[in-house]
Amino acid sequence: MRIYPNRLRLIDIYSFLKANFKTTTLMITICDKGYANTFKLFYRLSHMERYSNFVAFVMDKEGFDLLSKEGYPVFYYKNDLLSQSEASRSTRMWTSSAFNKMVLKLCVIRDLLLLKYSVLYMDSDVILFKDPLPALQHYTQYDFVAQRDDEICAGFMFIQPTRASYTMITVATTLMYMRRIMDQDAIITYTKKKGRVNYTFLPSTQFMSGRDYAITHQFADDHCPSDANIISYHNNYVIHESNKLYRWREQGLFTDDHGYYARDPAGYVLLDLLPNNYLTAFNVLAELVNRLNRTLILPTVACPRGVNRTRCNICSIDDTCCYNFQRMIHFRFRARQILQDKRAPAALLEEYKNGPTFSYAMSQTGAPYVKENTVRTSGADEE
């Protein structure tokens, strides 16, 4: 018999769950030190303190110690797959670090199914607007149900402890290694063959993907009559933690301060209208912001096809565009939401309401110039 001293034993999970939970239906997510801030935001925005059956499985000791000390319901999923270095930084998709974390995610679900627990797995970029379990109880006849993206979304699944679901998760883990694919692709691949597992999709009007939610919610004042029916919103179809936080802030869901609304002594640049030639416009705008050495109020853009809004936040262009632009301006920006927040600097709000509008242009050398020391710009005219 092989003994792996750096791995968790199934009896350890069983003992923890029996000692802390009276139910056999668990709400879970996974986390590590590098994702701790996003997890804490998820916990607060979704009011997870209301759910006595929630636990976060933490993949590293430092992350576990941090969250446990702060009183979060966590369990250390001891493993020898993820290094502390990998666990201590935010992970980009399609990297070896992300791959290892997704393998561990399936291992957690596999172990819980083996122990006969029903599992609601949620990524930490999900927001719950109301308790999902009453609605999910209508689907217990299936091996699992999932949020609908283009296909199955592995970031929001309600899985029953059946032989078929256990086999699916186990084989999906193997497929990840065999084909070097991520967990969601592995699950989709497994379910392509009919009869293997009995599953269905959750209604998209209640359990919304980031794409579906963004069709009617780009900014904080975007509302529609069907909002009362929404149970969850998954902030996917956008990549990078910085992008996700920006989109939540524009949507009015994330309003933390921590100095965010403090006045920048150097001033601001506000672009009212971003031209349709996004690539050129972003490059010109980045040059302008960096040369003026001011904080940019992120612009609005024309909405993509299918989004019924007047203007959209810049995450709607593509899933990484916003992050790349943030990096170009050295992350010196504020979401447009600041203009509707009373905590914003009074001088900024006054300029936005009554201040003059200036224009900028491109010189023959390719560098932008501004006729006056502008706070606000109205677009780009090329010469």
Side-chain angles (χ1 to χ4, degrees), residues 123 146-149 151-157 184 201 234 236:
D123 281 348
Q147 172 195 309
R148 182 192 289 272
D149 286 350
E151 296 190 71
I152 293 168
C153 174
F156 194 97
M157 302 183 294
Q184 180 164 298
F201 291 103
H234 188 181
N236 62 351

Side-chain angles (χ1 to χ4, degrees), residues 14 27 31 37 40 42 52 55 63 84 97 123 146 149 167 173 175 208 211 227 240 257 286 298 307 342 351:
Y14 176 80
M27 303 169 70
C31 185
N37 288 334
K40 288 189 279 188
F42 150 78
S52 59
V55 60
Q84 187 59 62
S97 176
D123 281 348
D149 286 350
T167 301
T173 308
L175 286 173
M208 303 191 78
R211 178 181 59 190
D227 284 358
H240 295 296
D257 194 339
L298 287 177
V307 179
K342 294 180 180 179
E351 283 288 345

Side-chain angles (χ1 to χ4, degrees), residues 143 160-169 190 195-198:
D143 295 311
Q160 301 304 313
T162 64
R163 180 183 294 273
S165 62
Y166 175 80
T167 301
M168 176 189 71
I169 295 298
Y190 181 84
R196 280 181 165 176
V197 61
N198 184 24

Side-chain angles (χ1 to χ4, degrees), residues 175-315:
L175 286 173
M176 289 182 68
Y177 283 105
M178 290 177 59
R179 303 190 182 187
R180 302 306 296 178
I181 56 178
M182 298 300 284
D183 61 310
Q184 180 164 298
D185 295 324
I187 290 173
I188 291 171
T189 298
Y190 181 84
T191 59
K192 288 296 185 183
K193 189 171 183 179
K194 292 183 178 179
R196 280 181 165 176
V197 61
N198 184 24
Y199 76 96
T200 191
F201 291 103
L202 293 165
S204 297
T205 54
Q206 292 180 296
F207 299 89
M208 303 191 78
S209 69
R211 178 181 59 190
D212 291 338
Y213 190 80
I215 290 174
T216 52
H217 301 82
Q218 285 287 316
F219 297 99
D221 54 357
D222 289 339
H223 303 288
C224 59
S226 61
D227 284 358
N229 299 323
I230 302 174
I231 295 174
S232 66
Y233 154 42
H234 188 181
N235 194 12
N236 62 351
Y237 286 93
V238 63
I239 298 173
H240 295 296
E241 183 179 30
S242 179
N243 272 2
K244 292 175 183 289
L245 294 181
Y246 160 67
R247 184 157 73 170
W248 272 349
R249 196 177 282 277
E250 289 290 38
Q251 292 168 336
L253 299 170
F254 173 46
T255 58
D256 289 19
D257 194 339
H258 304 302
Y260 191 86
Y261 299 96
R263 177 177 176 270
D264 183 347
Y268 299 84
V269 173
L270 168 62
L271 184 71
D272 290 328
L273 179 64
L274 191 69
N276 289 330
N277 187 348
Y278 295 130
L279 183 59
T280 300
F282 277 138
N283 288 332
V284 173
L285 182 57
E287 180 74 13
L288 177 68
V289 170
N290 290 333
R291 284 178 177 265
L292 289 176
N293 194 31
R294 293 189 172 204
T295 294
L296 174 68
I297 309 298
L298 287 177
T300 60
V301 297
C303 295
R305 182 179 301 175
V307 179
N308 187 25
R309 301 285 99 186
T310 303
R311 303 296 287 173
C312 283
N313 65 60
I314 69 174
C315 273

Side-chain angles (χ1 to χ4, degrees), residues 47 63 67 82 203 282 290 297 302 333 354:
H47 298 284
L67 294 172
L82 192 68
F282 277 138
N290 290 333
I297 309 298
F333 72 93
N354 300 314

